[in-house]
Amino acid sequence: MLTSITDGILCCLRGKTGSSVVLPVESSACTDGFEFVEVKPGRVLRVRHIIPERPPKLDQEQNQDQNYEHNQGKDQEKEKEKEKELRAEDGGSTVHCKRKITVYRNGQLVIENLGDVLHSEILQCQNGDVEPCTTLEVELADYSSVAAAVTPDPKPAPLPPPASSGNGLAAAAQQKPAPPPRRKKRKPKRTVLIDSERKISSCKGTEADVALFFVHGVGGSMDIWGSQLDFFSRLGYEVIAPDLAGHGASTAPQIAAAYTFYALAEDLRAIFKRYARKRNILIGHSYGVSFCTFLAHEYPEQVHKVVMINGGGPTALEPSLCSIFQLPSCVLHCLSPCLAWSFLKAGFARQGAKEKQLLKAGNAFNVSPFVLRAMMSGQYWPEGDEVYHAELTVPILLVHGMYDKFVPMDEDQRMAEILLFAFLKIIEEGSHMVMMECPETVNTLLHEFFLWEPDTSKKVTAVLKPITANQTTDMHAPKASRPLNK
């Protein structure tokens, strides 16, 4: 503690921010499976890339771009072709994604789902009961219209005076209630139509056209995915996990513009284009969820599924002006022990020796103050609003730790309402770093989602579900930027 304060004072006097290179821990030494990729001149990212050993025969069978071997019998080929045709006729894994998104000038959002409704039993409720994970049909109705239907008119129209019996027809005409005033038809500010078919299939580790991408958040590194990388690589999956700029063993440029959302997103775009297969699954944590959303939006044909772990709500990113991370880097350097302790307390459900060892082994929150300040200040992404997320047609698994103090549960619940194909799972014993606290639970949950394939044999007509007045008030509160304490 005293050493860090002394170093911070020296940094202020010298006008420097301390060491600009984040050294890797011993477990992150460059061995087999680690690569250094230059995404831009002088901008090098460390990437852990594990390619499982597969028999040559398996590779040839699983690669859809190659033809069958000539030594296979013609009868077997005909049988496989018949199976594919039958599967295509039955619908198989082809889902019709049809959605209409309307944005009005008052900020109101109306989502109409008109395509297929999925049925799945992949997830379970907290009480252990099976939860049918159907597509959520959400309509954010106009609050004024809902309130008018619930609340009586404070100024009712006066009743007409009683007429004499001599004016029979005239009195009857006068007693007819006046027609309600016509409401002006609102003009939408923006309308987005989605009409496409998406093929969703089971992704097995033995299939050569499947790759898993793991993206960490602020202050993390690829090492926070250690349990997941080992688990899925043993199952035969090809896994890719990069260190963001300034994190882990990647280079740390001493310019704040290198850590904006757009700069980091372009880095991950380069990594994705380098290692992507035909079917790719993106797994993001915290701030890394935004980059996974960006890639899924940019490459809808290549991104097969997405996992969002404690990512927050579908709101545009905007840095907070009143944040501790706006302090000078030298001050943050002095406060680094306090910040690390705060992250341990808020990021883990328990603060025992095991959690401290996980934090140290995962190389989490081990970045320079300059990088930390630039990362938090660079979280500006106005395009990533509700409409941006509602346009996604990829199946998404939402994982939330019950004791997460960084991301409230209602944010992930709102994300599940906005997304088209969303499955929300809450892990009761986990917090923000749930993949490190509960690795077995997270690995099992992710693997089930990878193997999940929609059952389109049961199709239900999509019905819009209007929400109540109280819910409308909550959903139409002024947009708040996503919390930056990630």
Side-chain angles (χ1 to χ4, degrees):
M1 180 80 174
L2 182 60
T3 305
S4 63
I5 295 176
T6 305
D7 294 340
I9 295 175
L10 293 177
C11 290
C12 293
L13 295 176
R14 297 173 185 173
K16 299 181 180 180
T17 60
S19 177
S20 60
V21 180
V22 181
L23 298 178
V25 296
E26 295 180 0
S27 61
S28 300
C30 296
T31 57
D32 294 340
F34 292 91
E35 302 175 2
F36 287 89
V37 180
E38 188 176 21
V39 293
K40 290 181 181 179
R43 194 177 176 95
V44 181
L45 303 184
R46 182 184 67 158
V47 180
R48 187 175 182 186
H49 182 206
I50 303 177
I51 304 178
E53 295 182 359
R54 300 189 184 97
K57 185 177 180 181
L58 266 180
D59 286 340
Q60 294 174 1
E61 290 180 356
Q62 297 299 334
N63 191 349
Q64 298 182 5
D65 297 334
Q66 297 179 356
N67 297 324
Y68 289 103
E69 295 292 330
H70 293 290
N71 56 0
Q72 292 181 338
K74 294 183 179 179
D75 295 337
Q76 295 180 356
E77 294 181 3
K78 291 181 179 179
E79 290 178 0
K80 291 184 179 180
E81 289 179 359
K82 289 181 180 179
E83 290 178 0
K84 291 182 179 179
E85 291 177 358
L86 291 175
R87 187 175 182 180
E89 292 176 359
D90 296 337
S93 57
T94 301
V95 179
H96 184 200
C97 305
K98 190 173 182 181
R99 204 172 211 196
K100 181 179 179 181
I101 308 169
T102 307
V103 183
Y104 292 94
R105 299 186 181 277
N106 60 351
Q108 183 184 9
L109 182 67
V110 176
I111 301 177
E112 302 176 53
N113 295 331
L114 308 174
D116 297 337
V117 179
L118 298 183
H119 291 263
S120 174
E121 296 181 353
I122 183 178
L123 303 183
Q124 293 183 349
C125 299
Q126 300 179 19
N127 56 7
D129 297 333
V130 176
E131 174 187 3
C133 299
T134 57
T135 306
L136 294 175
E137 315 295 336
V138 181
E139 179 184 4
L140 306 184
D142 186 7
Y143 175 68
S144 59
S145 62
V146 176
V150 178
T151 307
D153 192 354
K155 296 182 180 180
L159 297 176
S164 60
S165 58
N167 299 333
L169 296 177
Q174 291 180 359
Q175 291 179 0
K176 289 183 179 180
R182 294 184 179 180
R183 295 175 59 102
K184 294 183 179 180
K185 187 176 181 181
R186 297 176 303 167
K187 295 182 179 180
K189 179 180 178 181
R190 180 186 176 192
T191 302
V192 179
L193 297 176
I194 300 173
D195 191 354
S196 63
E197 289 187 354
R198 187 175 190 91
K199 293 185 179 180
I200 307 172
S201 61
S202 174
C203 298
K204 300 179 181 179
T206 55
E207 297 172 342
D209 64 337
V210 176
L212 310 181
F213 288 81
F214 293 84
V215 184
H216 65 82
V218 177
S221 70
M222 68 170 66
D223 298 317
I224 68 173
W225 303 108
S227 299
Q228 287 71 42
L229 299 180
D230 295 339
F231 177 81
F232 287 106
S233 61
R234 287 197 303 267
L235 292 178
Y237 285 93
E238 180 178 358
V239 297
I240 301 97
D243 279 336
L244 297 180
H247 295 67
S250 297
T251 57
Q254 287 299 295
I255 178 173
Y259 303 99
T260 62
F261 173 85
Y262 297 102
L264 298 173
E266 290 302 321
D267 292 348
L268 292 176
R269 185 203 294 270
I271 297 296
F272 181 81
K273 293 174 66 175
R274 179 185 178 94
Y275 296 102
R277 300 297 182 182
K278 188 173 182 179
R279 293 182 297 166
N280 304 278
I281 301 178
L282 308 179
I283 304 97
H285 172 250
S286 192
Y287 191 28
V289 169
S290 299
F291 300 112
C292 293
T293 304
F294 170 80
L295 292 176
H297 203 277
E298 292 290 312
Y299 303 97
E301 299 298 330
Q302 291 181 271
V303 176
H304 203 64
K305 297 176 182 179
V306 176
V307 178
M308 300 180 176
I309 302 178
N310 294 327
T315 54
L317 295 181
E318 184 177 350
S320 175
L321 299 179
C322 300
S323 173
I324 189 175
F325 298 104
Q326 297 295 330
L327 297 174
S329 301
C330 57
V331 177
L332 292 178
H333 186 80
C334 298
L335 299 176
S336 57
C338 299
L339 294 176
W341 178 81
S342 300
F343 180 79
L344 175 64
K345 188 173 182 179
F348 292 86
R350 300 177 180 85
Q351 291 79 38
K354 178 183 177 181
E355 285 72 24
K356 293 180 181 178
Q357 182 61 29
L358 288 175
L359 187 64
K360 181 178 179 181
N363 200 20
F365 218 73
N366 185 23
V367 296
S368 68
F370 174 81
V371 173
L372 180 60
R373 183 176 186 271
M375 287 283 291
M376 303 304 288
S377 301
Q379 293 188 12
Y380 179 71
W381 186 35
E383 294 85 2
D385 56 3
E386 288 90 343
V387 178
Y388 190 92
H389 288 80
E391 291 176 348
L392 296 176
T393 59
V394 57
I396 298 176
L397 172 64
L398 299 169
V399 181
H400 184 86
M402 177 71 76
Y403 296 98
D404 190 353
K405 298 180 179 63
F406 290 138
V407 179
M409 187 187 304
D410 57 354
E411 289 197 16
D412 278 330
Q413 291 175 343
R414 185 179 182 185
M415 178 74 84
E417 294 177 351
I418 293 295
L419 296 173
L420 181 59
F421 300 145
F423 308 92
L424 175 59
K425 175 62 180 181
I426 299 174
I427 301 180
E428 296 182 356
E429 62 274 16
S431 183
H432 192 65
M433 307 300 292
V434 63
M435 64 281 183
M436 301 177 68
E437 297 174 294
C438 314
E440 294 83 6
T441 304
V442 173
N443 293 342
T444 302
L445 183 62
L446 266 60
H447 192 211
E448 290 179 353
F449 179 64
F450 297 164
L451 300 179
W452 168 74
E453 186 173 358
D455 181 12
T456 55
S457 60
K458 302 176 183 178
K459 294 186 178 180
V460 180
T461 305
V463 179
L464 295 180
K465 298 179 181 179
I467 59 181
T468 62
N470 292 335
Q471 290 174 329
T472 308
T473 304
D474 296 338
M475 297 295 288
H476 284 95
K479 286 185 184 179
S481 302
R482 185 178 302 178
L484 301 180
N485 46 359
K486 297 184 179 180

